[in-house]
Amino acid sequence: MDTSPDVLTRDPAPVPVASDPRPAGGDAPARCEQDADQSLYLIGRPPLKDFLRFVKHHAVNPPAEKALTDAWQAAREVVHRLETEEAGIADDPPIGKLGSEYEPLLIEFLKDPLVHYGFNTVPTEVAIVELDRMVVYQEHIDITHSRRLQQTLGAIPGRAELFRTCLPYDHPQPPVKWCRAGEGKFVFVSPSNDLRFLGPRKVHPGELKDAPGGNLVGVVGASVGFGSNFMNAIYAEKRLILNNGSHRAFTLRQMGVTHVPCIVQHVPSRDELEVVASSSVRRNPDLYLKHVRPPMLKDYFDPQLRMVLPVHRRLRQITVRF
C-alpha cells in the first residue's frame, strides 16, 4: 500500500518534554554542573541493581539509595498495571510499504554499500513503522544529545529530511581522536557512544602507501569506527524491536512524529535472532518477544516509568592492543 505524507507526521501530540521527576525523599539538583548531561533511565523492570549501579557511577549528585528504590518500586507497580491494561499492545504492529513518492530517496539510499554489507543475513525491507508500537531494550536515553538533534532538525521535518534523518546515507562522522599510547597500544576517543571495534582486516601489501621495512607478506589491521547509523528494527514473533536509532526515534516522537521510515529485518527463528539482535535481546529474548507488556518506546514519555538525572559527561574510548 502507498503511505501518504500525513501518515508520517502529525501535529505534535501532547508528548511530555523530558523533565526531572524527583524520587520520593530525594532532591534533584536545580541546575546541572557545566560538565554534566541529562540522562533518562527507564525504571520499574528488573534488575533493580542495574539501575542503582547506573546512578551510583554516572549521576552527578546521586539521590539516596532508598529514594531510588522507592521510585523504582512505584514504577514497578505501574508496570504491573500495564500488564493488564495493555496486554498484547506490542503484538502485530503495522508495517507499511513506502509510497511511490519515496522512490527517488530509496534508490539513492540503496546505492550505499553499507546497506548491502550490513543487512544481508535475513530478509530485509525499508518500511514505515509506528514509533509507539515498537519494543525497546535500551534503558537510558541521552537527553542532552536528543536536544542537540532537535535543534538541528528545527521544525517537524518534511518527507525528505525525515527519510535522511532515519536513514542517513551521507554518514556524517562524529568527532574522534586517536593516537599511539605506548608500545603495541592505540587509543581512540569520541563523545559518540557509537564508536566501536569493527573487526580485524587483512591488508595486502599493494594496498599500503608506505610499507614498513622488510620483505612484507601481509598486514593484519584492527578496524575502529562507527556503525552504519541506520534506524533499523527486528521483526520477530510478530513484534517489532528497535535495534538501532533509539535517540532519533525518541527525538522524533517528542517532536510529534508518529511514523518513520526504517530498515526492518524479518527474523524467522531464534537462531537468526542470535545473529542480528543486540546482546540485551539475546540474553533475555522472552522479555521482548513473549512478555504481555514489554518495554516500549512510548514508556520513555511516561513520567511514572522514567527518571531523568544529571550525569557526568563521558567520552567513549576504544583501546587496541597487540
Side-chain angles (χ1 to χ4, degrees), residues 231-279:
M231 186 180 293
N232 71 81
I234 291 171
Y235 183 73
E237 300 179 27
K238 297 185 177 182
R239 288 190 175 176
L240 198 59
I241 304 174
L242 183 59
N243 197 41
N244 187 66
S246 298
H247 285 87
R248 277 167 292 165
F250 172 86
T251 303
L252 290 168
R253 186 66 192 94
Q254 181 147 282
M255 294 174 68
V257 177
T258 59
H259 295 68
V260 296
C262 178
I263 293 177
V264 178
Q265 300 180 85
H266 293 265
V267 179
S269 73
R270 294 283 177 102
D271 290 330
E272 284 88 352
L273 190 74
E274 284 288 326
V275 177
V276 301
S278 70
S279 58

Side-chain angles (χ1 to χ4, degrees), residues 11-172:
D11 291 335
V15 180
V17 175
S19 57
D20 293 326
R22 300 186 181 188
D27 293 326
R31 178 175 295 180
C32 301
E33 296 181 5
Q34 189 173 359
D35 60 346
D37 290 331
Q38 292 280 309
S39 184
L40 177 155
Y41 199 103
L42 286 181
I43 57 177
R45 295 181 184 272
L48 168 61
K49 64 179 181 180
D50 286 357
F51 169 56
L52 297 177
R53 185 184 303 116
F54 175 86
V55 175
K56 177 181 178 181
H57 293 294
H58 294 270
V60 174
N61 295 300
E65 187 169 301
K66 183 182 184 307
L68 294 171
T69 302
D70 289 346
W72 189 90
Q73 293 289 359
R76 183 67 176 153
E77 292 302 315
V78 175
V79 171
H80 284 318
R81 189 182 74 239
L82 292 176
E83 289 171 357
T84 300
E85 296 176 355
E86 297 186 352
I89 192 174
D91 298 338
D92 297 305
I95 299 177
K97 293 187 179 299
L98 290 178
S100 57
E101 65 272 17
Y102 286 95
E103 186 173 347
L105 293 165
L106 184 61
I107 290 173
E108 194 66 28
F109 172 69
L110 292 177
K111 293 178 182 178
D112 191 331
L114 291 182
V115 176
H116 304 283
Y117 296 153
F119 299 92
N120 57 9
T121 303
V122 296
T124 301
E125 65 174 326
V126 179
I128 300 295
V129 299
E130 183 179 351
L131 290 173
D132 283 350
R133 298 291 298 279
M134 300 185 84
V135 176
V136 297
Y137 64 82
Q138 187 160 313
E139 294 97 348
H140 51 86
I141 292 290
D142 184 339
I143 298 295
T144 304
H145 174 64
S146 172
R147 288 171 180 161
R148 286 195 296 264
L149 178 58
Q150 187 167 347
Q151 289 172 356
T152 300
L153 291 172
I156 293 181
R159 182 188 302 122
E161 187 179 9
L162 179 63
F163 187 96
R164 294 190 179 104
T165 297
C166 298
L167 304 172
Y169 43 82
D170 55 344
H171 303 294

